[in-house]
Amino acid sequence: MTAVGIDAMEIWTGKLELDLPGTFAQAKGEDPEKYTKGLGLVTSSFPDTYEDIVTMGANAAKRLMDRKGLTPDDIGRIDVATESAFDNSKPVSTYIAGCLEQVFDGDFHHANKGERKFACVAGTQSIDDAYNWIKAGRNRGRAALVVATDTALYERGDPGEATQGAGAVAMLITENPSLVELSTEQGYGSADETDFLKPNQQFPSVDGKRSVQVYLARMREALEDFESVAGDTHPDDFAYVPFHTPFPGMVRKAGLFGYRHTLRGTDIEDELTDEIGRQPREEAFDSWEEYEEAIRDYMDSLKRTEMYRDWYARTIEPTLNIARQVGNWYTGSVHVARASALKSAAETGRELAGEHLLVGSYGSGAQAEIHAETVADGWKEEIQALTLDEQLSRRYELSFEEYERVHDVHNHEKETELEEFTQPDGEFVFTGWGRMNERKYDYVE
Ligand code: HMG
C-alpha cells in the first residue's frame, strides 16, 4: 500500500509578540506564575497591522513551494483550515492562490480549492481530505497544499485573552512523504457541544472551564475509538504524543489522562502497583461518582510517580516548546506541536525514522481525532529547514498599550489607524479593501 502523509511543512509566526508573565500579567495585576506554571505560556504571537490569515498562510505556502522547488502545476488541491475567515462565501484558499500567482509562473486554475471549518480540528480534517484524495487515485500525481491559518484573538477582558496567538502552518501532502506517514486507522470522539463558538461574530463565546472538560471527554472517546481499530496502545509505543495545544497546561491534563488510559493492563501498571496500587476498575464501584473519585485519587498519585514524570518529560514536554512561545494557533496548533517534537529530536540528536507518533487533534463544538504517524526517513532534513527560531527572535515586543491598539486594528468592528511595527521584507502584505469589499494583497520585495 502506498504511504501517504506530510512531505514537508513551513511555519509562519505573526511578527509581534506579547510577554505574558511580564507585560500582560503586570497590566492585569496577576501573578506571573499563572502564565509560566499554570497555563505554561511565556509569549504569544500577534499579527502586525499588515498581516492576517491570508498573508501568514500565503507566506508559509510560498516558502514551502520555494524550498521544495514546486510550481502551481505540481499542486492539485489547496485546502485552507481556519476559524478566522472574513467571508462566508469566498474561501481563503482563493485569496492564498491569488497571492501565490503573483510570484510563481503559471496558475492554480486546475486545482480544487476549499475551506474547512470545525474549530481547531479543521487542520487535521484538511489533511484527511488530501489523504483520501490521493488514496482514491484522483490526484493525477499532484500534491495537496494544506494551510492552517488563524488569528486566535479573544475579546479583551475574556479569560481566553491569556491564550491568544497568530500564525500559519503550510503542509504538503504527498505519496511517499519525507516527514511523516499517516495511519489508516483513526478514532473520533464527537458530540454537539457549546463550549466555544463564534455565531457570526469575530471573537469567540467561551465557557473556558467547561471547554477543558469537553476537550478531555472527547479526547478519551477518540482514543477508545482509535484502539477499537488499531488495537490497545501502550505508553511506550510512541516516541511523542503531540496534542492540540490551546495552552500547555491543557496538554498537561490530557497527557495524564492518556497515560492513565494506556497503561491499564500493561507491565507499567504492574510495576506501579506497590507504589500507588492498581488502577480502579468501574465494575468494583456501586456508583459512577465513587468510581470517578477513586480515579481522581489514583491520578493524583500517578502524576507524582517517577515513571510518569519520565514519560511526560520524554514524550509530551518536547511537543510544547513552540506553543509556550506562540500561544494558540487554533487549526495550526497540533501541527506546531508535531513540529516542536521533531525539532527537539533533531536538536538532541535523537534518531526517529520508523518511530511512531500518536497525534491528538481537537476542535471545540466538539470533536477529537486520534491517529498514528510513522516518522519518515527524510524527517531531519525537513525539520532542520524550518526558520522558526529566526522568526521568533525577530518578533517586535509589544508594550501593553501597543498590544491594545494592535488588537483594535484586527477588530472588525473598529476602524483604527496604526503604523506598522515591523518592515515587511520578501512577503505578502494586506493593502486594503477593493470595490466589492474584498481584501487586497501585494508581494513586497
Ligand atoms: P483562567 O480563569 O484565567 O485561569 O482561565 P485559571 O484561574 O483557571 O488558571 C489557569 C491555571 O493556572 C490553573 O491550573 C490554575 O490553578 C493555575 P489548573 O488548576 O487548571 O491546573 N494558576 C497558577 N499556577 C501557579 N501559580 C499561580 C497560578 N494562578 C493560577 N499563581 C482558561 C483559564 C483556560 C479557562 C482560559 O484561559 C480560557 O477560557 N481559555 C480559552 C478556552 C481554552 O483554551 N480552552 C481549552 C480547551 S478547548 C480547546 O482547546 C479549543 C480551542 O482551541 C478552540 C477551538 O477548538 O477552536 C480553544
Side-chain angles (χ1 to χ4, degrees), residues 31 33-34 37-39 83 119-120 154 158-160 162-163 195-196 206 208-209 211-212 215 244 246-247 250 252-253 328 330 362-364:
D31 183 346
E33 294 205 334
K34 170 179 169 186
K37 295 207 168 133
L39 297 169
E83 49 184 298
C120 304
Y154 290 75
D158 186 293
T163 64
D195 53 333
F196 168 112
V206 196
K209 301 282 184 237
S211 74
V212 169
Y215 176 120
H244 166 56
F247 54 93
M250 179 73 242
R252 197 172 57 226
K253 296 182 204 292
N328 192 357
Y330 288 161
Y362 176 76
S364 285

Side-chain angles (χ1 to χ4, degrees), residues 10 17 19 23 77 93 95 119 216 324 327 346 360 414 427 433:
E10 283 289 344
E17 79 174 290
D19 178 332
T23 311
R77 198 181 162 103
S93 49
Y95 281 101
L216 294 173
R324 288 189 199 293
K414 294 191 177 174
E427 64 196 271
W433 284 266

Side-chain angles (χ1 to χ4, degrees), residues 9 26 28 50 53 56 95 127 169 172 186 197 208 239 260 308 314 338 350 364 371 387 442 444:
M9 70 186 295
Q26 201 180 18
K28 299 268 172 185
Y50 55 84
I53 50 172
M56 296 188 299
Y95 281 101
I127 294 178
V169 180
L172 196 68
Q186 289 178 293
L197 52 156
R260 200 261 300 157
Y308 172 70
R314 212 174 47 241
R338 179 200 297 103
R350 183 167 174 184
S364 285
H371 67 267
T387 59
D442 271 343
V444 174

Side-chain angles (χ1 to χ4, degrees), residues 108-396:
F108 295 98
H109 289 198
H110 302 296
N112 187 10
K113 306 182 190 93
E115 190 173 299
R116 253 293 189 171
K117 178 179 71 183
F118 195 146
C120 304
V121 77
T124 298
Q125 289 182 319
S126 298
I127 294 178
D128 267 5
D129 292 341
Y131 175 97
N132 294 335
W133 171 73
I134 294 171
K135 284 276 182 181
R138 298 177 114 180
N139 62 319
R140 303 185 228 156
R142 296 174 299 171
L145 176 63
V146 168
V147 181
T149 180
D150 272 298
T151 45
L153 301 183
Y154 290 75
E155 194 89 62
R156 289 224 298 280
D158 186 293
E161 197 184 3
T163 64
Q164 298 176 117
V169 180
M171 292 168 280
L172 196 68
I173 314 302
T174 65
E175 287 177 29
N176 302 318
S178 300
L179 195 62
V180 291
E181 177 191 328
L182 307 182
S183 67
T184 312
E185 296 81 8
Q186 289 178 293
Y188 292 104
S190 190
D192 178 9
E193 297 277 7
T194 46
D195 53 333
F196 168 112
L197 52 156
K198 298 181 181 176
N200 284 329
Q201 64 198 43
Q202 184 188 3
F203 300 127
S205 300
V206 196
D207 184 342
K209 301 282 184 237
R210 193 171 141 59
S211 74
V212 169
Q213 295 313 317
V214 175
Y215 176 120
L216 294 173
R218 302 287 81 81
M219 202 61 91
R220 196 200 63 229
E221 281 177 1
L223 182 55
E224 285 167 356
D225 194 41
F226 175 74
E227 288 182 323
S228 77
V229 280
D232 282 350
T233 49
H234 182 288
D236 295 335
D237 286 348
F238 304 100
Y240 297 106
V241 182
F243 280 105
H244 166 56
T245 311
F247 54 93
M250 179 73 242
V251 173
R252 197 172 57 226
K253 296 182 204 292
L256 182 60
F257 270 78
Y259 190 75
R260 200 261 300 157
H261 180 93
T262 53
L263 69 77
R264 189 179 274 239
T266 67
D267 51 328
I268 298 184
E269 184 172 32
D270 295 342
E271 270 186 65
L272 286 171
T273 307
D274 283 348
E275 199 179 340
I276 58 169
R278 287 181 75 75
Q279 193 170 148
R281 276 14 187 208
E282 196 184 333
E283 49 285 6
F285 293 85
D286 292 334
S287 71
W288 176 257
E289 288 70 30
E290 283 174 52
Y291 168 64
E292 274 206 314
E293 202 184 319
I295 283 281
R296 267 198 299 276
D297 288 347
Y298 177 81
M299 296 223 299
D300 256 0
S301 309
L302 180 63
K303 75 176 176 210
R304 293 192 182 88
T305 63
E306 213 177 305
M307 190 95 96
Y308 172 70
R309 285 169 178 268
D310 282 354
W311 175 84
Y312 187 87
R314 212 174 47 241
T315 314
I316 304 283
E317 193 63 48
T319 69
L320 305 174
N321 295 341
I322 302 176
R324 288 189 199 293
Q325 303 173 71
V326 303
N328 192 357
W329 287 8
Y330 288 161
T331 54
S333 162
V334 66
H335 310 292
V336 164
R338 179 200 297 103
S340 179
L342 298 181
K343 186 166 173 292
S344 161
E347 284 163 3
T348 53
R350 183 167 174 184
E351 198 34 75
L352 273 189
E355 294 220 41
H356 303 292
L357 313 178
L358 189 69
V359 181
S361 304
Y362 176 76
S364 285
Q367 180 161 303
E369 189 266 4
I370 289 190
H371 67 267
E373 297 180 356
T374 306
V375 180
D377 288 344
W379 73 276
K380 201 182 285 176
E381 204 183 328
E382 287 303 327
I383 220 69
Q384 283 175 338
L386 292 181
T387 59
L388 187 66
D389 289 337
E390 228 176 286
Q391 292 183 49
L392 291 176
S393 66
R394 276 207 310 258
R395 285 181 302 180
Y396 173 89

